[in-house]
Amino acid sequence: METTRRDFIKISSLGAGGVALTSTTIPLSGIFGKKKPALDDEKLTKIPTYCDICFWKCAAWAFVDATGKIRKLEGNKNDLLDRGRLCPRGTGGIGAYYDDDRLKTPLVRIEEDGEQVFKEASWEEALDLVANKMKEIKEKHGPESFALLKHGSPGKHFAHLFQAYGSNTIAEPAFAQCRGPRDVGFKLTFGKPPGSPENTDLRDAKCIVLIGSHIGENMHNSQVQELSDAIDKGVSIITVDPRLSTVANKSKFWLPIRPSTDMALLLSWMHVLIYEELYDKEYVEKNTTGFEELKKHVRQFTPEWAYPITDIKPEMIRKSAREMAISAPSTIVHPGRHVVWYGDDTQRSRAIAILNALLGSWGRRGGFYFSEKMRIPKYPQPPYPKPKWDAHTLSHHFPFANHGVTGDVIKASLIEKTKEHHVKAWMVAGTNLTKSVPERAVIESAINELEFLVVVDTMPMEITGYADVILPECTYLERYDQLRNSSWRTPSVALRMPAVKPKYQSKPAWWMAKQLGERLGLQDYFDYEDYEEVIKWQLEHVGTSLEEMKHLGVKNYDRRSKNLYMDEKATQKFKTPSGKIELYSQKLKDAGFEPFPVYKEHERPPKNYLRMIYGRAPMHTFSKTVNNPYLNELKNENLLWINPRVAKKWNLHYGQKVWLKNQDGVISTFPIKVRMTERIRWDSIYMVHGFGHNNKNLTRAYSKGASDTKLISKILTDPIMGGTGLRGNFVTILTEEPTKNIES
Ligand SMILES: Nc1nc2c(c(=O)[nH]1)N[C@H]1C(S)=C(S)[C@@H](COP(=O)(O)OP(=O)(O)OC[C@H]3O[C@@H](n4cnc5c(=O)[nH]c(N)nc54)[C@H](O)[C@@H]3O)O[C@H]1N2
Ligand SMILES: Nc1nc2c(c(=O)[nH]1)N[C@H]1C(S)=C(S)[C@@H](COP(=O)(O)OP(=O)(O)OC[C@H]3O[C@@H](n4cnc5c(=O)[nH]c(N)nc54)[C@H](O)[C@@H]3O)O[C@H]1N2
Ligand code: SF4
Ligand SMILES: [Mo]
């Protein structure tokens, strides 16, 4: 195999790690709220934070003992997002701090005896190197050529640095690999995306329709808590999923749909609601445009039409549509979150939005409420310079891409793909690109062509193996970050501050950004000693103080607007061109797309292949928690869900190790164990995302299970906003170990 300058290399120079507490000293709640009463809270100091294990940002307390050790994390009872209870991942967040595989010092790639290795470097050395590269790229190619690929809290600090430097070539997987199509589809229809946290009024819903959305395995805290309350109150749930998910098990209707055909079901539900006159006539008349055209459009989409496509019997389609209508407007057809499936995802999200409009649920109790957040002023700074081009320029062929598209930034780094706007260097902060973005071969080629790659992470994740410089960030428990400002039924502000000093030589992202900014002559954008000063200033502008917030952790405010729901007497104005809910989208039509969602057939698995689908496990977040000592203890590998009928055909037995090969001949690096179960359709296999780590420095996660992302070599691109559809890949099963190069 040809080797290149930027081979994926191990971090071999890492010194011996600190000693972690044994798991027995840390109370891990198995599931919400069941804590062992092991520690005497009186002797512990409570420090406020908000959880960073996922993006729900639950407010929490870190309990620190007299010796300065973090002993446990608990939810903050004043927080409406978690009501004092963290999810299992949040409780186990402490393991992110204690993981002795953490990055410990800055590292710089050097060549030694013809071999590439990482050498430990001082902060001065590493930051000088990065700053000099930033200067050099700016002079040679313009600042726009330095891209930032980021996710989460660290990304925000670096986005500030990059914009000050002159680059807005910024993208994150939260858009094109996650919820972009949903946000665009809902915005086109209602003038507003569902947001994060979603404005779903689950607590008061009487009927909840989940299209793949697997809440319960998807552990977004308040959604799980509210869904569980709604179940206690007798909510009826309709789950559409080729797999009997945890929530499907609690549902009145489980519709085990043929994967990739949801659009047909959604259209035929519209047909039933309209032609059985079950829709909310008054609401539709008053608030929407395009109803008559929609009625005509869906006339042909009868349940009988949808049956052979979806595998769902006409009677089930009718019954489930009636179930939604009975509870309306307190019926939520959930928008989902990770919606990049088959490339027509904006249109599928539009179909979901239209169904909600027909049911009259947007702006109604038990449907979708109008969320609100705080107005927190920005710390004073000069305006950013205007870049000559940016991530939007790279994605101009996707007219509704309102955020950077990760794949386009990556492709703009490939010489043969790039005409005018060539990306020459990346900073990657808080995203493990080879696990979160598919088409590994494309990413690796792009990385090889870069002049420079700097990675900021807490862990020696796969992406660090490609870096020229690695900057070790401390964990969320060791730093200040932006104030949490979540949109919700009522606004709130939450504080994250260091519970303990950063371990090893790790540092917070805000500090790195400021250090780099100063080296680049951008000190006016960082006019503070430390981030505490920024937080203090902002808190004083929202009627509180750092001192008060240290005691409260989270502060709840009253709404500015009275209306959590629609004022039925007034005329509601939506932020769409017509001011109404747009069933018919003139904007899509003008841009050359279908103004109404249409069904298009997607490729089905070839003979001897199965569709590969994936999802979440309650105790893990993507790839980032697999090595966490406490969460790894709860689940250390993923299993291959396969229908017993299919398993029989392949002569497989429970627990057998198999390898997967996809339609392009890509083979899983490690084997995965078979789990036979009736809970999955015969045409698909399922696995939890995030496993199959191939960096040996992740001592617990290395080689455990298979990586779904590696097997996604083909993507189905959403032409409207550039979403990366991940579910058009098929795999076959290999029972013998294939001969291949195992990656390091
Ligand atoms: N195949 C496949 N691909 C997917 C998905 C899927 O289900 N299947 N899901 C998609 C979705 S919905 C999303 S939102 C994205 C998520 O994509 P990512 O956010 O890239 O998810 P992770 O793979 O967990 O990578 C997170 C990285 O951040 C690092 N990190 C954690 N904490 C910190 C910190 O405090 N500071 C810094 N600097 N780094 C930190 C972790 O070590 C890890 O390297 O992935 C998308 N991609
Ligand atoms: N524990 C945990 N919770 C998380 C996360 C995490 O990493 N861990 N990540 C968070 C994030 S960023 C996101 S975006 C969300 C994602 O979570 P969701 O938006 O709830 O779910 P998806 O990943 O879209 O869908 C997974 C489900 O879709 C089903 N499915 C597969 N193909 C089809 C199909 O063709 N049709 C239908 N109807 N269903 C199908 C799968 O069987 C699986 O049950 O989870 C969030 N919550
Ligand atoms: S949902 Fe769980 S992991 Fe996510 S922020 Fe809340 S406690 Fe943390
Ligand atoms: Mo996501």
Side-chain angles (χ1 to χ4, degrees), residues 54-55 89 178 211-215 217-220 240-243 245 257-262 336-339 341-342 613-622 686 727:
C54 85
F55 304 113
R89 300 171 295 154
C178 177
I211 320 281
S213 193
H214 57 333
I215 300 176
E217 285 151 293
N218 156 356
M219 259 293 156
H220 275 167
V240 184
D241 198 311
R243 183 182 66 101
S245 58
I257 195 164
R258 185 196 308 279
S260 84
T261 64
D262 296 74
R337 185 162 173 126
H338 174 69
V339 294
W341 298 359
Y342 302 106
I613 57 179
Y614 53 78
R616 313 277 176 238
M619 65 296 275
H620 281 295
T621 302
F622 319 123
Y686 175 83
R727 292 195 180 150

Side-chain angles (χ1 to χ4, degrees), residues 612-649:
M612 189 186 70
I613 57 179
Y614 53 78
R616 313 277 176 238
M619 65 296 275
H620 281 295
T621 302
F622 319 123
S623 78
K624 75 175 174 186
T625 56
V626 181
N627 203 67
N628 176 310
Y630 308 115
L631 299 177
N632 184 274
E633 211 172 89
L634 300 179
K635 184 177 174 69
N636 75 349
E637 64 186 337
N638 57 357
L639 299 175
L640 183 75
W641 291 44
I642 187 163
N643 187 284
R645 264 203 287 158
V646 186
K648 201 166 162 212
K649 194 184 119 192

Side-chain angles (χ1 to χ4, degrees), residues 422-490:
H422 199 164
V423 171
K424 296 283 189 181
W426 300 352
M427 174 182 275
V428 178
T431 173
N432 189 18
L433 283 185
T434 57
K435 290 279 179 284
S436 52
V437 178
E439 296 187 298
R440 170 90 68 89
V442 176
I443 298 181
E444 287 189 337
S445 308
I447 289 176
N448 270 321
E449 288 176 20
L450 292 177
E451 285 183 20
F452 187 67
L453 172 58
V454 47
V455 175
V456 186
D457 208 300
T458 51
M459 292 293 297
M461 297 301 250
E462 282 73 14
I463 187 63
T464 59
Y466 301 92
D468 293 304
V469 177
I470 304 172
L471 303 178
E473 180 162 21
C474 55
T475 67
Y476 68 105
L477 295 165
E478 304 159 284
R479 66 186 194 223
Y480 276 107
D481 262 316
Q482 302 83 6
L483 290 167
R484 184 196 84 182
N485 183 11
S486 299
S487 59
W488 191 248
R489 292 185 181 93
T490 51

